[in-house]
């Protein structure tokens, strides 16, 4: 199976923060891979913009290093890399002053898509938006791409939306949540809305509960200062996990169209109940495995920020009344494993004596690693011995299904950047969605702050704090193993 690559329109893509970490690790390696795949036309250009005084050649050298470091060896083609580097330019820019803007304006061409990627600290978003419009660098058709974190609460997100709205229309603003660019996350919509099989069962009547897990083995080392002000709730739940929850819980949009999809997601966020204190478990990792504790990484020995959180969440609408959604995410856990598991209810009546062998049907959507889908169904145990039941998985591993093409799948960032150029906002968050997500998140954080709740310690390499197990045991359910 060969993936179809359709070149996008010619573009000038400006990366503010072009020498930063995200640009090095994700944006430039991703753009190079899209170039290699034939998705960039010959006249498309990428312009790095940052504070440092660099020549085009200096900048190209930093990008070449990033490609060498972050692109797999099998994709390192010296001739293609050299060709890709000729598309790169650099402008030294002062985001908070006047320096560099005239030069940037001179570089921009008419008649191509202009996109501006804000891969900078959120405090600079407003400054850059202002200068782009003040200096006439952006026009009414230009697009801006804004990284997370988009605010740290409802008030700051609203203020940021209002600032951007002074210079850009909502149709020009692409708020990135890279989880929406993941292959399996998009597959969630295909599974639900391109098949007749699941949708009739996709409701409280048939779904016992849903588990969403995003487990990481890495800690917060190196990002301690940012993370300590954020914690797992702001860093992962308000955005990535919320988006996963929306895609599972939303009603079918009338069309796969940016606003139709985002309208339905927004309704889910607005239908979320406040979360009760007993339905929240926060954790913080201890030292272990040769690594320091969270408090060593956060450079704050008394930090009460959570590196782990588990929540029991309810979507209060007709479809989901009574079906809990259990969310958990954490750092320094047993394995890197992200998945969504939808557990269906028991059949209303068993005709088999072998009730003991019975287990629930579960649909597991595996985000990473080993992307794929597994549907656990009951069958008869093969061979003689009467009607004994056993559970088997119907497996669909993307790596097996796609063979060599699997390595060609674009990663989340490269897919999303190409969507910006195509002008497709479906996989980007709308301003009202982000605000609704904060409106749900704020009281949860305010609640534990006011109560003075402290996170529970957990050992690295485990599945998190003990109390998180209780969150499900209490309901007669169990978390799936993290592996
Ligand atoms: C980022 C968070 O948005 O997502 C990180 O800030 C987290 O803390 C990362 O590690 C997880 O992304 P992925 O794609 O590796 O699952």
């Amino acid at each position: 199976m060969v993936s179809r690559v359709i070149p996008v329109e010619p573009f000038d893509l400006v990366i503010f923060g072009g020498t930063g970490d995200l640009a090095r690790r994700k944006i430039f390696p991703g753009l190079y891979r899209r170039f290699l795949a034939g998705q960039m036309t010959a006249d498309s250009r990428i312009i790095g913009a940052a504070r440092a005084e660099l020549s085009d050649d200096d900048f190209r050298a930093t990008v070449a290093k990033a490609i060498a470091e972050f692109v797999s060896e099998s994709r390192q083609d010296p001739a293609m890399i050299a060709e890709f580097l000729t598309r790169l330019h650099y402008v030294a820019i002062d985001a908070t002053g006047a320096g560099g803007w005239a030069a940037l304006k001179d570089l921009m061409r008419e008649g191509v898509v202009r996109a501006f990627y804000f891969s900078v600290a959120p405090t600079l978003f407003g400054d850059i938006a202002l200068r782009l419009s003040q200096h006439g660098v952006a026009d009414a058709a230009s697009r801006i791409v804004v990284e997370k974190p988009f605010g740290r609460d409802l008030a700051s997100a609203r203020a940021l939306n209002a600032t951007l709205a002074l210079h850009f229309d909502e149709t020009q603003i692409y708020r990135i949540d890279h989880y929406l660019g993941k292959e399996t996350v998009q597959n969630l919509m295909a599974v639900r809305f391109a098949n007749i099989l699941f949708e009739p069962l996709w409701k409280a009547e048939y779904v016992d509960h849903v588990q969403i897990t995003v487990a990481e083995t890495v800690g917060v080392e190196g990002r301690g200062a940012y993370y300590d002000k954020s914690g797992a709730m702001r860093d992962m739940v308000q955005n990535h996990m919320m988006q996963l929850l929306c895609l599972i819980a939303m009603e079918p949009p009338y069309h796969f169209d940016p606003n139709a999809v985002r309208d339905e997601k927004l309704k889910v966020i607005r239908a979320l109940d406040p979360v009760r204190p007993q339905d929240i478990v926060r954790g913080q990792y201890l030292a272990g495995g040769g690594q320091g504790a969270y408090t060593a990484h956060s450079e704050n020995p008394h930090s009460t920020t959570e590196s782990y959180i588990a929540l029991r969440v309810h979507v209060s609408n007709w479809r989901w009344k009574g079906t809990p959604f259990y969310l958990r995410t954490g750092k320094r856990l047993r394995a890197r494993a992200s998945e969504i598991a939808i557990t269906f209810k028991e059949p209303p009546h068993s005709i088999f004596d072998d009730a003991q062998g019975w287990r629930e049907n579960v649909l597991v959507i595996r985000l990473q690693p080993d992307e794929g889908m597994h549907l656990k169904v009951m069958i008869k145990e093969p061979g003689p011995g009467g009607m004994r039941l056993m559970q088997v998985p119907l497996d669909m591993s993307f790596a097996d299904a796609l063979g060599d093409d699997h390595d060609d799948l674009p990663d989340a960032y490269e897919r999303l950047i190409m969507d910006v150029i195509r002008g497709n906002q479906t996989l980007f968050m709308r301003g009202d969605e982000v605000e609704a997500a904060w409106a749900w998140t704020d009281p949860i954080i305010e609640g534990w702050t006011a109560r003075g709740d402290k996170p529970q310690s957990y050992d690295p390499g485990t599945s998190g704090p003990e109390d998180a197990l209780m969150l499900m045991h209490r309901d007669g359910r169990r978390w799936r193993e993290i592996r």
Side-chain angles (χ1 to χ4, degrees):
M1 200 186 330
V2 176
S3 25
R4 274 172 299 152
V5 174
I6 303 169
V8 292
E9 279 175 69
F11 61 83
D12 279 348
L13 170 63
V14 179
I15 316 279
F16 293 105
T19 53
D21 198 48
L22 181 74
R24 264 175 10 93
R25 280 185 305 112
K26 295 284 182 189
I27 302 177
F28 289 112
L31 285 166
Y32 165 69
R33 281 191 295 263
R34 289 298 88 211
F35 166 77
L36 205 58
Q39 210 158 8
M40 271 170 69
T41 55
D43 52 352
S44 290
R45 300 181 316 170
I46 301 156
I47 298 151
R51 189 179 283 272
E53 292 290 341
L54 300 178
S55 67
D56 281 354
D57 283 343
D58 296 335
F59 178 60
R60 288 174 183 147
T62 68
V63 174
K65 258 173 79 179
I67 293 174
E69 199 176 339
F70 297 109
V71 173
S72 65
E73 251 176 63
S74 62
R75 300 249 167 325
Q76 308 242 358
D77 176 335
M80 293 301 272
I81 295 175
E83 170 67 26
F84 174 71
L85 294 178
T86 64
R87 313 289 175 86
L88 303 183
H89 302 268
Y90 182 81
V91 178
I93 211 130
D94 177 5
T96 56
W101 294 96
L104 182 59
K105 180 169 193 238
D106 286 346
L107 258 184
M108 306 308 294
R109 295 171 299 167
E110 295 298 328
V112 300
V113 173
R114 288 186 197 181
F116 302 91
Y117 196 128
F118 295 12
S119 175
V120 294
T123 46
L124 295 176
F125 291 169
D127 287 307
I128 295 180
L130 167 72
R131 284 172 180 78
L132 280 175
S133 74
Q134 216 174 40
H135 294 272
V137 184
D139 58 22
S142 298
R143 292 145 206 185
I144 61 168
V145 185
V146 188
E147 262 298 328
K148 81 176 253 275
F150 198 92
R152 56 171 283 107
D153 52 22
L154 177 58
S156 53
R158 266 193 188 143
L160 186 50
N161 273 334
T163 305
L164 297 180
L166 293 175
H167 313 290
F168 295 94
D169 186 74
E170 182 63 32
T171 55
Q172 297 178 275
I173 305 173
Y174 290 70
R175 295 176 193 77
I176 281 214
D177 184 313
H178 79 279
Y179 265 58
L180 289 176
K182 288 182 190 276
E183 182 70 20
T184 338
V185 175
Q186 293 173 65
N187 233 313
L188 199 54
M189 282 186 277
V191 167
R192 284 195 60 193
F193 305 130
N195 297 288
I196 191 71
L197 279 183
F198 298 110
E199 208 43 32
L201 303 179
W202 211 262
K203 52 174 127 167
E205 201 180 341
Y206 298 109
V207 175
D208 179 72
H209 73 279
V210 176
Q211 294 186 24
I212 307 178
T213 302
V214 178
E216 298 183 278
T217 51
V218 291
V220 302
E221 46 276 10
R223 303 167 72 220
Y226 149 75
Y227 193 91
D228 205 47
K229 292 198 192 67
S230 163
M233 186 71 191
R234 287 191 175 96
D235 185 52
M236 296 296 290
V237 178
Q238 185 272 345
N239 37 70
H240 305 324
M241 300 194 76
M242 174 70 80
Q243 290 297 323
L244 299 180
L245 169 65
C246 284
L247 295 181
I248 301 164
M250 73 183 186
E251 295 301 316
Y254 72 88
H255 191 252
F256 191 58
D257 155 279
N259 280 330
V261 170
R262 297 184 300 175
D263 285 346
E264 296 307 334
K265 288 196 296 170
L266 178 63
K267 288 183 203 160
V268 174
I269 304 175
R270 291 195 171 146
L272 291 176
D273 277 347
V275 182
R276 306 176 308 173
Q278 62 268 39
D279 290 340
I280 306 168
V281 177
R282 293 161 68 232
Q284 198 183 75
Y285 63 80
L286 295 165
Q291 301 264 357
Y294 173 80
T295 44
H297 294 147
S298 69
E299 295 160 14
N300 172 6
H302 308 295
S303 172
T304 56
T305 300
E306 74 285 353
S307 59
Y308 174 100
I309 190 163
L311 301 155
R312 183 181 192 273
V313 174
H314 281 275
V315 183
S316 254
N317 61 17
W318 275 37
R319 187 187 279 263
W320 293 116
K321 194 72 197 163
T323 296
F325 287 69
Y326 299 92
L327 275 45
R328 65 178 162 165
T329 182
K331 305 249 182 227
R332 302 229 57 212
L333 297 178
R334 173 177 298 147
R336 178 172 186 254
S338 300
E339 61 170 40
I340 296 162
I342 292 136
T343 300
F344 293 89
K345 288 188 174 165
E346 295 185 12
H349 165 73
S350 174
I351 62 166
F352 302 110
D353 295 334
D354 187 16
Q356 303 215 322
W358 197 85
R359 310 257 303 272
E360 309 107 328
N361 296 127
V362 187
L363 174 66
V364 180
I365 297 156
R366 180 89 176 171
L367 269 52
Q368 60 195 25
D370 315 321
E371 302 129 293
M373 271 179 328
H374 316 276
L375 178 62
K376 304 214 164 150
V377 293
M378 298 304 298
I379 61 162
K380 176 191 166 299
E381 209 176 287
M387 181 59 97
R388 290 193 315 268
L389 300 176
M390 66 183 283
Q391 193 185 45
V392 292
L394 292 180
D395 269 344
M396 210 286 272
S397 144
F398 289 175
D400 293 349
L402 294 173
D404 287 348
D405 286 344
H406 183 255
D407 293 340
D408 282 334
L409 286 180
D411 104 329
Y413 275 95
E414 47 193 285
R415 183 191 311 265
L416 293 174
I417 295 172
M418 290 299 114
D419 276 356
V420 174
I421 307 297
R422 287 188 200 99
N424 185 341
Q425 288 187 306
T426 312
L427 300 176
F428 295 84
M429 292 176 298
R430 214 168 50 192
D432 50 3
E433 250 184 284
V434 179
E435 289 185 13
W438 281 120
W440 175 78
T441 307
D442 279 2
I444 299 175
I445 298 177
E446 283 158 13
W448 75 54
T449 310
R451 293 190 299 275
D453 292 352
K454 305 238 177 335
Q456 214 182 72
S457 303
Y458 62 95
D459 285 315
T462 63
S463 45
E466 290 283 316
D467 282 2
L469 302 180
M470 288 312 298
L471 187 71
M472 291 204 75
H473 283 182
R474 214 174 60 195
D475 294 347
R477 302 184 175 106
R478 291 197 345 213
W479 289 109
R480 288 168 47 77
E481 218 178 295
I482 294 179
R483 60 194 161 103

